[in-house]
Amino acid sequence: MSGPKDLDPSSSPRALLGAELRHAREKAGLSQDELGQRLFVSGSFIGQLEAGARRMQPDYARMLDEALGTKGFFARNCKAAAKSKYPESFTEAVEAEAVATAIRQYASLLIPGLLQTPRYARAVFRAYRPTAPEEEIDELVAARIDRAHVLADPTKPLLWAVLDEAALRRVTGGAAVMAESLRHVADLAREHRVIVQVLPLNVGAHSSMEGAIKLMDFEDAPPLVFLEHVGTGRLEDDPATVGRQRRAFELLTACALSPKDSLALIEVMAQDYAHEEHR
């Protein structure tokens, strides 16, 4: 069995901290579980820090310096990794998303961020922040669209999205915006960049009626689930919680249309929105 993949420390401040943490832990002769016990966290949490799947918070940085005798290295350098253009409650999820090997997501109310177009994202942010200055909305839209760069790699991540039909029928931004948005999703599916399934309204009750699902898998770290609420969210690595969310997603895929039928429905809906635009 091969060992963990080495991070490229030059790729980001988070990768630098992860690589240095792994080096310092191994130099100290500690396993991830043993180091986690000293910080009152799980070994999985340490593994996610080392893999760059989670950001290092100042409190943990100070505790790591004490546990590993690194003379304030992590406390000094975690500030650079803390800078982000995303809302604080979402920053960790975005950073995890960037290094994930697979993302499985169910969206009940809207098209997921990675699949959004600029005009759709603008309509969403304006609805969330009706009195925000236009410059603030511009920055939020730019940051959201920038996240989609993870789909530029032809091999990773695997993005498997289950879209609720209700989200596709919610006219967000107007008919023209919806037509453009659904064509964009269809293009990504045809290019084999994403797997998309639509959960039809006639399915009725299903396994995730209480909210969205976002599961992320990593090459050298345990999986995470992002639990999101209005204006806030958190990453969770508890195996039982991740397992429940994974089972819920699997049940959704069983109830949803096949990728082929989903693409056909999305294309028809895009045409309907386009016709509505020109009425």
Side-chain angles (χ1 to χ4, degrees):
M1 181 176 177
S2 61
K5 179 182 177 182
D6 290 333
L7 287 176
D8 177 5
S10 66
S11 63
S12 70
R14 187 183 65 252
L16 171 64
L17 290 179
E20 288 298 319
L21 175 56
R22 179 175 292 162
H23 172 74
R25 176 183 60 77
E26 291 177 345
K27 184 178 179 181
L30 297 172
S31 68
Q32 291 178 346
D33 286 334
E34 289 169 338
L35 180 56
Q37 288 172 5
R38 298 189 182 191
L39 272 65
F40 304 102
V41 298
S42 66
S44 296
F45 183 87
I46 298 299
Q48 287 152 358
L49 288 176
E50 292 181 357
R54 299 192 81 144
R55 70 165 32 201
M56 188 177 293
Q57 301 293 345
D59 288 346
Y60 288 121
R62 287 191 291 272
M63 295 170 71
L64 286 167
D65 283 324
E66 292 175 5
L68 298 171
T70 43
K71 300 179 181 180
F73 173 85
F74 294 112
R76 290 193 304 272
N77 288 282
C78 77
K79 293 180 180 179
K83 296 179 180 179
S84 176
K85 55 189 173 183
Y86 300 101
E88 183 176 353
S89 62
F90 194 49
T91 295
E92 267 204 294
V94 173
E95 292 175 346
E97 181 181 87
V99 296
T101 56
I103 301 168
R104 293 172 176 81
Q105 186 166 10
Y106 163 65
S108 58
L109 300 177
L110 75 172
I111 296 172
L114 287 175
L115 302 180
Q116 290 180 9
T117 63
R119 292 202 295 171
Y120 186 96
R122 182 174 298 278
V124 170
F125 282 123
R126 180 50 72 189
Y128 288 172
R129 297 168 172 81
T131 61
E134 198 63 27
E135 294 78 8
E136 180 180 332
I137 301 297
D138 289 342
E139 291 175 1
L140 290 167
V141 171
R144 173 155 293 184
I145 299 306
D146 184 63
R147 286 171 51 208
H149 288 166
V150 301
L151 298 179
D153 190 313
T155 61
K156 65 178 186 180
L158 162 72
L159 176 58
W160 190 336
V162 176
L163 310 181
D164 200 297
E165 185 180 346
L168 305 184
R169 295 198 180 279
R170 186 180 301 280
V171 187
T172 302
V177 171
M178 290 302 298
E180 176 189 60
S181 298
L182 295 189
R183 284 195 295 264
H184 176 64
V185 173
D187 288 343
L188 289 172
R190 277 195 300 268
E191 293 165 5
H192 308 292
R193 288 304 302 121
V194 301
I195 299 171
V196 176
Q197 291 183 261
V198 174
L199 186 70
L201 289 172
N202 62 14
V203 163
H206 59 78
S207 62
S208 192
M209 294 186 70
E210 294 184 348
I213 296 173
K214 186 166 189 176
L215 292 154
M216 290 176 277
D217 293 312
F218 307 92
E219 186 169 350
D220 295 317
L224 290 168
V225 62
F226 181 61
L227 303 176
E228 187 174 10
H229 307 284
V230 178
T232 186
R234 74 180 192 277
L235 284 176
E236 181 65 67
D237 64 359
D238 172 59
T241 301
V242 173
R244 284 194 299 271
Q245 295 289 317
R246 195 176 296 278
R247 284 192 295 275
F249 185 83
E250 290 169 350
L251 288 169
L252 285 173
T253 62
C255 294
L257 298 176
S258 70
K260 180 179 178 180
D261 290 343
S262 296
L263 176 58
L265 175 60
I266 291 170
E267 289 176 327
V268 167
M269 293 181 68
Q271 292 174 357
D272 289 344
Y273 279 123
H275 291 155
E276 183 178 337
E277 174 193 358
H278 293 101
R279 285 176 185 170

